[in-house]
Each structure stands twice: as structure tokens, then as C-alpha cells.
Amino acid sequence: MDFFSSMRVSTSALNAHLVQLNSITSNLANTKTTRGAHSGPYLKKEVIFSAQVDRENFAEILENEFDEHVQGVQVIEIIENPKHLQKVYEPNHPDADSQGYITLPGINPVEEIANLITCQRSYEANVTALEASKSMYTKTLMVIG
Amino acid sequence: MFDFTIHALKTSLNLRTLKHNILCSNISNENTPGYQAKKVEFETQLRDALHLENRLPKFGTHTDHFIFTQLDAIHPNVYEDPYGNPSLNGNTVNRTAEMAELTENQLLYETSLELLKKKISLLKYAISEGERSH
């Protein structure tokens, strides 16, 4: 239980939110992509966060009863969600099927921008927390000097 | 040499470090589905311990007895916030409240630290015989 553990926790959140930021920008860039990485259209990427107990090594499990309450965050999965796919009638499109429909990723840009703002605010909150840890640690060092 | 005040400041710093870690954990999990915000409670216990300490006899009944301070008995409560307002994904972290608490906790930590520095500088002053030069 020290400041490094809170720093690790904040850093884990920064990493997780960067992954989320990447998936949001990727979704925004591909709102009209009919050919994704696999066969078929681009699929909307959704990031799943999960709370993880902060532990550096096995010995720490035995060390402190409060450690289990200090939890970082980790991206456990990036889901490519096909539920959003949308059929649009565009018979002249090269990817149109026999009925003249194309399949779009069905990404709602407004929703993505809203997620982007939330993600950015969370990132900033974690940077502030990290700076607080740093300042507290530095000031503690000053007691010696 | 290390008196009760230093012991109290040490306890306060330790507890504030714990609270800082828990607050950081809450802030980092503000987007995690189902995460329950955690709270730390120790202020009442700390206040009671400081209050009791002044009322109890300073010395044991026998010279061989150890003197335990009330501070050693402080056990912080970490619990899930029962009044948290869950969002659509079941998360109960309130970012504004957490940031405010983080700042408050940081200031109080630094206050304890400053007081500790003062105590140590007084000790140093005494050790060096008031900076007397020969």
C-alpha cells in the first residue's frame, strides 16, 4: 500500500481509455465502410472494461487486507458487434446485393462523439489523480531533505 | 523522543494514503460496468482516539507495562457506497464527488506532512543544541 499502487491504478485507466479512444476513432472513420478487415462490412468495435485488483506480485496478496479494494481497470475484450448492421437501398453501389441493398456498419456518429467526450473527461480525471499521487509522493520525500 | 504527536501524524498519513489509493481506484473505474464506488471511513475513529488519548493516564500502572496508544486500535472501514446513484451500466462512481474528495484528501495529507516536518525540525533544533556554534 503505497503511492506506486495508486499510480499503477491510474495508469491502467489511462491505458484502458486510450484503447477506447482508438476504437471510437476507428468507428467514426468507418461509418460508411462496406468492406471491413474480414469479409463483409466493418463491424462496430465496443470496448469492455473490467475492474482488476492491483497486485504487483504474489507476496502482495498476503500483505494487506485493503489491497483487494484498490482496483485498476483493464480492457478484457474488444467486441466487434454485428447487431448494429444496417441495410440501405443503394442499387448502384458496387457492393449491392441482388435486391440492391448494401450493408453499412450502422454507427451513430452522435453516440460515438458522446462516448469520445466521456472518454476524454475520464482520461483527464485520471491524469489529475496521477498528478496528485506524484505531488504527494514528492512532498513526502521533502520531509527527509 | 518520538512523542504522541509524531505517532498521530504517522497514523494520519497512513490512513490518508489508503484513502488516496481507494479514491484513485474509484476514479479509474468510473466507466467500468457494475463497479461499486468505495468509501473509506476513519476520521471519527481518529478523532475519538486523539480525544481518548488525552483522557487516559499517560503512564502504565507498572513500569514493565507497555503503553499502547489508542491510535493502534484504529481500523479503517472500507465499504461500498450505499447511497451511490447507479448509472445505466450499474456503476455508482460520481466523478465530481471523487475529484473533490481527492483534492481534500491531498490537502489534508500535505497538512499532516507539514506538521511532521515542523516536529522533525524542532527535534533537529534540539539535537544541534539550537544550532549553537563553537
Side-chain angles (χ1 to χ4, degrees), chain A residues 114-126:
Chain A
N115 286 341
L116 185 77
I117 295 169
T118 316
C119 179
Q120 190 187 358
R121 292 286 171 270
S122 303
Y123 191 89
E124 287 167 4
N126 280 292

Side-chain angles (χ1 to χ4, degrees), chain B:
Chain B
M1 187 167 81
F2 297 103
D3 62 0
F4 178 71
T5 316
I6 287 189
H7 198 70
L9 288 171
K10 187 195 91 176
T11 314
S12 156
L13 288 175
N14 274 338
L15 293 169
R16 297 233 168 264
T17 310
L18 170 70
K19 188 166 180 181
H20 180 77
N21 282 339
I22 302 283
L23 288 171
C24 279
S25 167
N26 284 344
I27 291 167
S28 74
N29 279 295
E30 67 171 318
N31 290 328
T32 309
Y35 179 86
Q36 302 285 307
K38 292 184 176 60
K39 293 218 155 245
V40 194
E41 217 311 290
F42 61 81
E43 270 104 346
T44 331
Q45 286 186 58
L46 186 61
R47 193 193 57 209
D48 289 349
L50 293 175
H51 190 66
L52 269 178
E53 196 65 29
N54 292 329
R55 291 172 174 245
L56 290 178
K58 288 281 184 291
F59 302 100
T61 47
H62 192 271
T63 45
D64 286 347
H65 287 174
F66 283 111
I67 313 276
F68 287 105
T69 68
Q70 293 295 314
L71 290 168
D72 295 325
I74 295 178
H75 192 268
N77 288 326
V78 181
Y79 57 95
E80 288 175 355
D81 185 9
Y83 304 110
N85 198 6
S87 61
L88 285 176
N89 61 10
N91 189 305
T92 60
V93 178
N94 176 352
R95 183 197 297 148
T96 323
E98 298 294 335
M99 294 310 285
E101 268 199 80
L102 186 85
T103 315
E104 182 194 327
N105 191 55
Q106 186 187 357
L107 287 174
L108 290 170
Y109 179 90
E110 286 169 7
T111 310
S112 299
L113 213 53
E114 282 301 316
L115 292 171
L116 187 67
K117 268 164 90 173
K118 276 276 177 292
K119 284 296 283 187
I120 289 175
S121 76
L122 282 176
L123 280 176
K124 274 186 184 161
Y125 185 75
I127 291 167
S128 63
E129 297 177 57
E131 309 285 324
R132 194 179 65 181
S133 56
H134 292 283

